[in-house]
Amino acid sequence: MGVLAGRTALVTGASRGIGRGIAERLGRDGARVAVHYGRNGGAARETVAAIEAAGGSAFAIRADLRAPGAAEALWEEFDRHADGVDVLVNNAGIGNTRPIAEIGEEEYDAVFAVNVKAPFFILAHGMERLRDHGRVVNISSGLARTAVMPDNMAYAMTKGALDVLSRDLSKVLGARGITVNSVAPGIVDTDNTAELLHGSADGWDRAAAFSALGGVGAPAEIADVVAFLASHEGRWVTGSWVDATGGSLT
Ligand SMILES: NC(=O)c1ccc[n+]([C@@H]2O[C@H](COP(=O)([O-])OP(=O)(O)OC[C@H]3O[C@@H](n4cnc5c(N)ncnc54)[C@H](OP(=O)(O)O)[C@@H]3O)[C@@H](O)[C@H]2O)c1
């Protein structure tokens, strides 16, 4: 029996990339997984199918996290399938690479809406659905702690804000035995980084050179860290910022 048997997990942005890796891992660990998505219903159904093919249980829920009222819409969908959540992973996010002098307000608002406002209100409206001794994991970024790519400033700022949410919420939820942590990937091979990694002949090698381990991350590597925090073994880790960059900040 998996270590999360009998638990329910919700992973935002689980149709693709890191979120999909996390959803599949939590499903293998025995959790029933809510696979949230925005636009790609077909990809979300593929995640659900992969979890079921591995012997797990999952369902897909849709909510556009850029839209006003997104968090309420997400929980309304969730409530049709489950009556509480044990592991909540705020993973959905969008990147933004543009020099500060060129970024417009609309673009700035979009990256903050998806990366900060949505997780904040998903948690604000999710408190009553989170079960005692549950887990919250917010997917941050190594860029919150390094200026190595300053054209990603607005994006990095969103992750800095998310990290404050993890830290402060750990104090609010600690009395209920709920842990709250940030997990910060470095460069991971997903659609989000396709241009960076595959858009030029040396993209992959330049990205790999950031990491002490000399590689580019895979969604499964981030999922393993999340799985630890979600497990019983992770019960004494809270309010933390977990570096999952493969040593890109050393
Ligand atoms: N890849 C990296 O190198 C890297 C590094 C550090 C941190 N991260 C963080 O890791 C997380 C996942 O990144 P990724 O690389 O896996 O991204 P990705 O492959 O681009 O996938 C993004 C996911 O977020 C969902 N999403 C995006 N905008 C949405 C919206 N408006 N409403 C609802 N869902 C939305 C997408 O759903 P749909 O496709 O269904 O719309 C998709 O499932 C993000 O928070 C990102 O900042 C990534």
Side-chain angles (χ1 to χ4, degrees):
M1 200 188 283
V3 297
L4 296 180
R7 308 278 164 82
T8 300
L10 164 59
V11 184
T12 67
S15 46
R16 298 181 286 121
I18 294 171
R20 181 177 182 164
I22 294 168
E24 289 190 18
R25 171 64 200 262
L26 298 181
R28 276 203 306 282
D29 284 350
R32 182 168 177 242
V33 186
V35 172
H36 161 264
Y37 70 98
R39 291 187 182 158
N40 289 293
R45 284 188 289 279
E46 278 175 28
T47 306
V48 169
I51 292 169
E52 289 173 345
S57 165
F59 55 91
I61 58 172
R62 176 172 190 276
D64 176 3
L65 299 185
R66 241 183 105 166
E72 283 116 315
L74 177 143
W75 285 119
E76 219 171 277
E77 277 266 304
F78 178 88
D79 289 346
R80 291 200 191 107
H81 300 268
D83 58 8
V85 62
D86 302 283
V87 181
L88 169 54
V89 184
N90 280 305
N91 162 81
I94 54 174
N96 182 277
T97 307
R98 202 178 294 284
I100 182 169
E102 291 174 22
I103 187 166
E105 283 192 31
E106 200 177 319
E107 218 176 327
Y108 178 95
D109 286 345
V111 72
F112 270 81
V114 177
N115 295 7
V116 183
K117 185 179 173 189
F120 182 91
F121 283 104
I122 287 169
L123 284 160
H125 295 298
M127 306 275 261
E128 74 227 32
R129 288 152 173 114
L130 262 172
R131 295 201 183 100
D132 290 356
H133 304 288
R135 304 282 193 266
V136 176
V137 180
N138 295 317
I139 302 301
S140 178
S141 166
L143 289 182
R145 301 240 174 142
T146 172
V148 72
M149 294 180 181
D151 285 352
N152 291 273
M153 192 183 301
Y155 169 77
M157 286 165 63
T158 68
K159 297 303 187 179
L162 190 65
D163 293 341
V164 173
L165 175 61
S166 298
R167 186 194 67 198
D168 286 11
L169 195 67
S170 69
K171 287 282 190 193
V172 176
L173 294 177
R176 294 172 52 197
I178 298 170
T179 67
V180 188
N181 293 286
S182 279
V183 169
I187 300 171
V188 179
D189 186 13
T190 69
D191 294 344
N192 204 7
T193 50
E195 179 57 31
L196 178 77
L197 294 173
H198 307 291
S200 62
D202 63 346
W204 185 279
D205 291 341
R206 281 192 290 123
F210 282 112
S211 111
L213 295 168
V216 169
E221 284 159 349
I222 309 307
D224 286 348
V225 179
V226 174
F228 163 73
L229 291 171
S231 73
H232 180 70
E233 280 70 19
R235 68 195 176 283
W236 201 238
V237 182
T238 194
S240 284
W241 192 85
V242 181
D243 180 336
T245 68
S248 298
L249 304 177
T250 52

